[in-house]
Amino acid sequence: MDNRATSVGGAGALQLSPMSLNHELADIFRTMAAVFEIKGESIFKAIAFSKVSRILNDMTFDIRKAYDDGTLAQIEGIGASSRKVIEDYLKNGRSADFEEVSTSVPAGLLPMLEIPGLGPKTIALLWKERGVTNVEELVKAIDEGKLDGLKGIGAKKIDSIKQGIALRAQAKGRVGIVEALPIGDSLVERVRALKGIKQAEVAGSLRRRKETIGDVDIVAAIDGKVDPSEISAEFVKFPEVQHILGQGTSKASVLTAGGLQVDLRLVPEENFGAALLYFTGSKDHNVRIRSRALDRGMTLSEWGLYDLAKYEKAEKKTAEAPKLKPVASKTEADIYKALGLAYVEPEMREDRGEVALAEANKLPKLITLADIRGDLHTHTTASDGIASIEEMAAAAVALGYKFLAITDHSKSQVIANGLTAERLLKHIAAIRKADGKVKGIKLLAGCEVDILVDGRLDFEEAVLKELDIVVASPHVSLKQESGKATDRLKRAIDTRYVNIIGHPTGRLINSREGLPLDLAQLFPLAAKNGTAMEINAGYPRLDLNEINARAAIEAGVTLSINTDAHSTVGFGEMIYGINVARRAGVMVSHVLNCMSFTDVMTFIEKKR
DNA sequence: GCCGTTTTCGGCCCGACTGTTTTCAGTCG
């Protein structure tokens, strides 16, 4: 939650681009939910608005479209009150309800929710009893001893708030999956090596392969003869651990030196599946399947799936499995099966309709790394890469690839040593020559051509037609207004020789928003004229992102998952593109570079 | 606030850990 309570909802909202309209509205609902929490209104009210916020963020279409079509009322989770806020905002560029709610508490209280250990109840208490309205005042109040004597706030609590403020200042926020995955893997290895551990897995958003990770979750099954508190004592002594947040008999939380939170959960082997399911989440997915369990007379917890009537009578102790035989608990698959669901891959567990698909046994068969047959966007020393054509080709052969497109930069990318038309023609000849020499792989002579600010390309058609394949990408002017940006990409998609739009938005995770494209206009066009859209697998691009990639396949667009490798090592990033694709529900049939070489060429020829 | 092949009212997922407590509230995931 950021401090936008006073910055959204103003008259400026009318100039918003379509997709950021969804995000602006999502912010409004998130803010309102936070205010409800602090004001102590029904927690379910806050949950309902948080859910609306998430729905808006996840939406693959423009909310204004639903409003215009009159289908707003059909969206599950958006009720009458939310609809009123949305309609108000669309019509007037502001919401009276939002303004009333957001001004009912000091705006400075909302960022206080980010302080670990400090929740809405305590924030409200500090505000009402001591007049604290922001983090700075909280620090001052603690230093001056003003919190002494507050009911329910003892010395330890004050100490933990102080620590929470310090932790928040040093916390780096969400880290990229590229950084978190190796940390998670190495910690899990270390856990597995502990005495008494039968198995251990990474869980949480890392297992779901989200593009950024809030913390690392690990679930471990322990030998029944071992005391779990001894294992958690070992865990908190790991060299990576800088600070212990909590430590019990079945659970431990720590902070690493890098500021990353790691949670370990210890369970008996027979409860491992339930714990892994619970700890993997997402929270919304858990809520969905737990409520399904209740509908079927069962209850699901991190210990297992149980018959509800028997469960209520059973003996339960903290940090111990309930004393009754579960319906299912050992594996995730057992639990899904007992709930009448097909197994849901972790990447799909986001409550975006996967449970309904699992019930109907219609989950997509998700793409895997092994399905990739080539890379269609790579660079060499001819522009800004560090490997030769032959070196890149050899690395691709080693990966088992059947084809490889060499697509160095065009002339506008001066900084990247972009090719002039003359140099490009020579480069094409060099690629063709290498193709004749290298065995086991087809090399395509390509180019990553700049999409200029008005949608023209960096080379004339006379040059483009000499190439086997063209990737067209936006590199500059990435802060265009939505209409212009959309027209710019439209023109590129419409260009005869363009086969793939590279990193279509130009976004960079945590540092650049990218073009505010109206993808609802672009995707049908791309689907119709046979232009593929890229999932650029390089971090921090991952562009298209999972939401946009999902919208793309829903519109019938062919995707291409490419690394944009600038070295042979760069090929290794393909897995991150696969992660995005899996989270988007992408199957082999959606992806250009999962096709045979012949079919790739047919796809290209068809547009020419 | 949202929702409904048991409901238009009365529910809403479930448990661990911490701190301030003589039985529980708050926070977190």
Side-chain angles (χ1 to χ4, degrees), chain A residues 18 482-483 486-487 490 493 517-527:
Chain A
S482 179
T486 304
D487 286 345
K490 251 190 204 166
I493 291 169
L517 300 171
D518 182 1
L519 295 168
Q521 285 189 52
L522 298 181
F523 287 157
L525 187 65

Side-chain angles (χ1 to χ4, degrees), chain A residues 537-558:
Chain A
Y539 192 91
R541 284 199 184 277
L542 301 185
D543 177 19
L544 302 172
N545 68 18
E546 64 193 54
I547 300 291
N548 293 338
R550 179 167 168 171
I553 58 171
E554 281 171 0
V557 172
T558 299

Side-chain angles (χ1 to χ4, degrees), chain A residues 464-484:
Chain A
L464 296 180
K465 75 171 197 215
E466 297 301 318
L467 293 158
D468 300 324
I469 186 167
V470 173
V471 178
S473 315
H475 285 112
V476 296
S477 295
L478 297 174
K479 285 189 171 170
Q480 275 177 310
E481 173 272 317
S482 179
K484 272 196 183 137

Side-chain angles (χ1 to χ4, degrees), chain A residues 81-190:
Chain A
S81 302
S82 301
R83 213 152 54 227
K84 179 163 172 282
V85 172
I86 293 169
E87 288 174 357
D88 205 12
Y89 195 72
L90 290 177
K91 265 191 260 177
N92 309 315
R94 50 194 288 263
S95 157
D97 289 348
F98 168 66
E99 283 164 19
E100 189 188 327
V101 170
S102 64
T103 54
S104 66
V105 303
L109 293 183
L110 303 182
M112 288 169 64
L113 284 168
E114 289 168 17
I115 298 170
L118 197 57
K121 295 278 171 30
T122 313
I123 291 170
L125 183 76
L126 295 171
W127 173 38
K128 284 175 189 156
E129 297 296 325
R130 293 294 187 270
V132 171
T133 65
N134 58 47
V135 179
E136 289 70 33
E137 287 174 12
L138 175 58
V139 173
K140 198 156 162 261
I142 291 172
D143 289 347
E144 293 173 357
K146 278 189 183 162
L147 302 191
D148 298 347
L150 258 183
K151 190 172 157 53
I153 309 286
K156 276 190 168 174
K157 186 76 200 168
I158 292 174
D159 218 42
S160 105
I161 293 172
K162 248 166 118 174
Q163 276 195 15
I165 294 170
L167 288 173
R168 174 175 166 270
Q170 90 174 51
K172 40 163 85 172
R174 297 185 72 84
V175 301
I177 185 168
V178 174
E179 194 181 334
L181 203 49
I183 296 174
D185 285 346
S186 93
L187 279 168
V188 138
E189 279 309 315
R190 219 188 265 285

Side-chain angles (χ1 to χ4, degrees), chain A residues 196-495:
Chain A
I197 296 287
K198 306 281 267 186
Q199 54 180 326
E201 295 293 340
V202 162
S205 53
L206 195 50
R207 182 164 179 242
R208 302 200 312 278
R209 301 292 192 253
K210 279 193 76 167
E211 63 189 29
T212 61
I213 305 297
D215 55 21
V216 174
D217 302 294
I218 297 170
V219 180
I222 51 170
D223 195 312
K225 298 187 278 287
V226 188
D227 178 3
S229 47
E230 275 175 28
I231 295 177
S232 77
E234 287 294 316
F235 172 71
V236 300
K237 280 191 270 178
F238 280 0
E240 292 94 335
V241 173
Q242 195 197 37
H243 181 80
I244 302 169
L245 295 166
Q247 184 190 352
T249 52
S250 70
K251 199 167 158 179
S253 286
V254 299
L255 274 187
T256 67
L260 193 60
Q261 184 175 334
V262 182
D263 298 330
L264 174 69
R265 169 80 184 209
L266 301 164
V267 293
E269 217 177 358
E270 55 270 26
N271 305 97
F272 184 71
L276 186 61
L277 184 64
Y278 152 74
F279 238 61
T280 297
S282 68
K283 191 174 175 173
D284 295 306
H285 179 82
N286 286 350
V287 169
R288 177 75 62 183
I289 59 176
R290 284 177 180 204
S291 128
R292 181 183 177 87
L294 283 180
D295 288 346
R296 306 191 148 213
M298 296 181 279
T299 177
L300 177 63
S301 75
E302 47 264 57
W303 294 106
L305 181 66
Y306 300 92
D307 180 280
L308 184 58
K310 289 181 195 157
Y311 179 84
E312 279 168 351
K313 286 182 223 140
E315 182 191 340
K316 280 154 285 199
K317 275 195 212 154
T318 294
E320 278 181 33
K323 296 274 185 295
L324 83 156
K325 195 176 165 352
V327 177
S329 69
K330 187 137 198 242
T331 71
E332 290 182 325
D334 292 345
I335 294 168
Y336 280 116
K337 196 175 167 202
L339 288 170
L341 298 171
Y343 177 78
V344 182
E345 298 282 359
E347 292 94 331
M348 294 213 75
R349 300 180 195 169
E350 295 290 342
D351 192 28
R352 293 177 185 157
E354 73 280 4
V355 174
L357 291 175
E359 180 173 37
N361 203 16
K362 284 184 178 161
L363 284 166
K365 188 175 184 305
L366 299 180
I367 184 175
T368 68
L369 185 58
D371 295 319
I372 295 291
R373 299 205 207 180
D375 199 325
L376 297 173
H377 181 174
T378 64
H379 298 268
T380 69
T381 49
S383 61
D384 58 348
I386 60 167
S388 66
I389 299 168
E390 289 80 6
E391 285 165 339
M392 292 298 276
V397 169
L399 288 169
Y401 286 174
K402 301 298 177 203
F403 50 86
L404 172 69
I406 303 290
T407 56
D408 280 296
H409 288 286
S410 60
K411 62 177 188 278
S412 290
Q413 287 298 300
V414 178
I415 228 169
N417 188 26
L419 301 166
T420 59
E422 192 185 344
R423 282 176 60 212
L424 177 64
L425 292 174
K426 280 186 191 154
H427 191 43
I428 292 172
I431 296 167
R432 300 246 155 88
K433 195 172 160 200
D435 182 44
K437 281 197 279 183
V438 189
K439 298 272 176 277
I441 194 163
K442 282 300 294 178
L443 298 184
L444 290 163
C447 183
E448 182 184 14
V449 185
D450 258 54
I451 303 175
L452 304 176
V453 66
D454 58 357
R456 281 180 302 122
L457 298 187
D458 206 9
F459 285 127
E460 302 298 319
E461 294 208 349
V463 177
L464 296 180
K465 75 171 197 215
E466 297 301 318
L467 293 158
D468 300 324
I469 186 167
V470 173
V471 178
S473 315
H475 285 112
V476 296
S477 295
L478 297 174
K479 285 189 171 170
Q480 275 177 310
E481 173 272 317
S482 179
K484 272 196 183 137
T486 304
D487 286 345
R488 174 185 185 185
L489 271 275
K490 251 190 204 166
R491 189 165 170 185
I493 291 169
D494 253 341
T495 302

